[in-house]
Amino acid sequence: MATTTPAVPKARKRRRKTRTPNVNHRPPIIASDLKANELDLTPGKEHLVCPGCSTWVPITGMQGTPKLVPHHTGRANAAEPRRCTAGSNRQVAIDVEVGAWHTELIEAVPTTASRRATKVLPKPKVKPVLAASQIKPAPLSAEQVRQAFRQHQQQCLACKGEATGRDGQPLPCRDGERLAITFLRLLRQEPKRRSVREFFARERQRFDRQYVAVAPAKRTSEWVAVLPRVKDADTRRSQLPVGDTPTEARGVPLEPLQPTR
């Protein structure tokens, strides 16, 4: 007698998107009023950010009346889920073409990247500026003043004799006169300054020679002064206190320290 096996019932494949005839009473969502990053018009994957709960929600009924599917206000499988009554089954007015939305999204990428915070670089440490009383002016030489005087003469009309007053007389140049006086003063002082610099250079050389000559003798005298203490320390290290048994160390016989009376 043949036995028959009952057929195993198969579960019907569920629809990917929730479909219900209910429609939300709120006015429809205008797609053009949303930002490019709050809308996704990819064919077969239409989504948008719900204005009521700020959650990405699928759009159903793209072939007829588009509307948002019923959804919760938080993540899926969260504790105490709560239905979004403001956005569930709300109609959506798709007044944006897919190509125009995609172009706007691509153009918004560089703008968004430029608004991102850049890497914070540490500021370089700058030394504090010296006060006016702490600044030491560099001494001028006669050659520097002479060059400044020549440059002034080439640019000053009064020094060239081309600037005249109302009476037709040439105007004097106070700046050129001051530079000329300074140049003559430094020129007169230059031999004395040169002799002072040469004197200090000779003294420095004499001090170096004297130090080199005295250094060996000074070092020898320092060694002679500390030599008795060094010998005494070596003698104490070579002796052992009374009662120690070792008689040899590194092949050298050691004698016990004799008690002092």
Side-chain angles (χ1 to χ4, degrees), residues 160-232:
K160 295 179 181 179
E162 300 178 1
T164 57
R166 296 181 179 180
D167 55 353
Q169 297 295 329
L171 295 176
C173 179
R174 304 299 180 186
D175 295 336
E177 182 180 357
R178 185 171 61 255
L179 288 173
I181 294 174
T182 305
F183 169 68
L184 295 177
R185 177 173 56 82
L186 293 177
L187 190 61
R188 289 193 302 268
Q189 297 176 354
E190 187 64 24
K192 184 177 180 180
R193 291 185 177 184
R194 188 184 303 110
S195 62
V196 171
R197 289 195 297 268
E198 292 176 354
F199 170 77
F200 278 106
R202 289 194 302 269
E203 288 296 317
R204 181 65 184 179
Q205 294 177 0
R206 184 180 64 82
F207 174 79
D208 293 341
R209 291 193 301 268
Q210 184 179 0
Y211 177 79
V212 171
V214 174
K218 182 178 180 181
R219 189 166 185 83
T220 303
S221 62
E222 291 176 351
W223 273 109
V224 170
V226 299
L227 187 58
R229 294 196 297 269
V230 173
K231 289 183 177 180
D232 183 62

Side-chain angles (χ1 to χ4, degrees), residues 8-257:
V8 179
K10 287 187 176 181
R12 186 177 61 180
K13 186 177 181 180
R14 298 183 62 182
R15 295 180 178 179
R16 295 180 59 186
K17 297 182 181 179
T18 306
R19 288 172 173 81
T20 174
N22 298 333
V23 178
N24 200 317
H25 65 280
R26 291 177 176 271
I29 302 174
I30 308 301
S32 59
D33 294 343
L34 300 176
K35 298 180 181 179
N37 59 346
E38 296 178 350
L39 182 66
D40 187 0
L41 295 180
T42 305
K45 300 179 181 179
E46 293 84 359
H47 287 67
L48 61 79
V49 178
C50 176
C53 62
S54 301
T55 306
W56 280 96
V57 184
I59 305 174
T60 185
M62 291 298 297
Q63 303 298 331
T65 304
K67 62 179 180 180
L68 299 181
V69 302
H71 58 278
H72 292 151
T73 56
R75 295 179 177 271
N77 301 325
E80 298 181 359
R82 184 165 55 89
R83 177 65 64 87
C84 177
T85 57
S88 297
N89 298 322
R90 188 173 177 180
Q91 293 184 357
V92 181
I94 307 296
D95 57 346
V96 179
E97 296 182 357
V98 178
W101 164 80
H102 193 264
T103 302
E104 184 179 359
L105 185 64
I106 293 176
E107 293 176 352
V109 171
T111 306
T112 307
S114 64
R115 292 197 301 266
R116 293 176 182 172
T118 56
K119 181 180 179 181
V120 179
L121 300 177
K123 293 184 179 179
K125 295 183 180 180
V126 182
K127 294 183 179 180
V129 181
L130 297 177
S133 58
Q134 299 175 338
I135 299 176
K136 296 181 179 180
L140 295 176
S141 62
E143 181 62 24
Q144 293 176 344
V145 178
R146 187 188 66 81
Q147 294 178 1
F149 180 54
R150 294 301 184 189
Q151 184 177 3
H152 173 76
Q153 283 183 328
Q154 295 175 359
Q155 299 177 356
C156 181
L157 297 179
C159 292
K160 295 179 181 179
E162 300 178 1
T164 57
R166 296 181 179 180
D167 55 353
Q169 297 295 329
L171 295 176
C173 179
R174 304 299 180 186
D175 295 336
E177 182 180 357
R178 185 171 61 255
L179 288 173
I181 294 174
T182 305
F183 169 68
L184 295 177
R185 177 173 56 82
L186 293 177
L187 190 61
R188 289 193 302 268
Q189 297 176 354
E190 187 64 24
K192 184 177 180 180
R193 291 185 177 184
R194 188 184 303 110
S195 62
V196 171
R197 289 195 297 268
E198 292 176 354
F199 170 77
F200 278 106
R202 289 194 302 269
E203 288 296 317
R204 181 65 184 179
Q205 294 177 0
R206 184 180 64 82
F207 174 79
D208 293 341
R209 291 193 301 268
Q210 184 179 0
Y211 177 79
V212 171
V214 174
K218 182 178 180 181
R219 189 166 185 83
T220 303
S221 62
E222 291 176 351
W223 273 109
V224 170
V226 299
L227 187 58
R229 294 196 297 269
V230 173
K231 289 183 177 180
D232 183 62
D234 293 340
T235 303
R236 291 178 179 274
R237 282 198 303 270
S238 63
Q239 297 176 352
L240 291 177
V242 178
D244 289 353
T245 57
T247 58
E248 292 185 0
R250 296 183 181 178
V252 180
L254 300 178
E255 298 180 357
L257 181 64

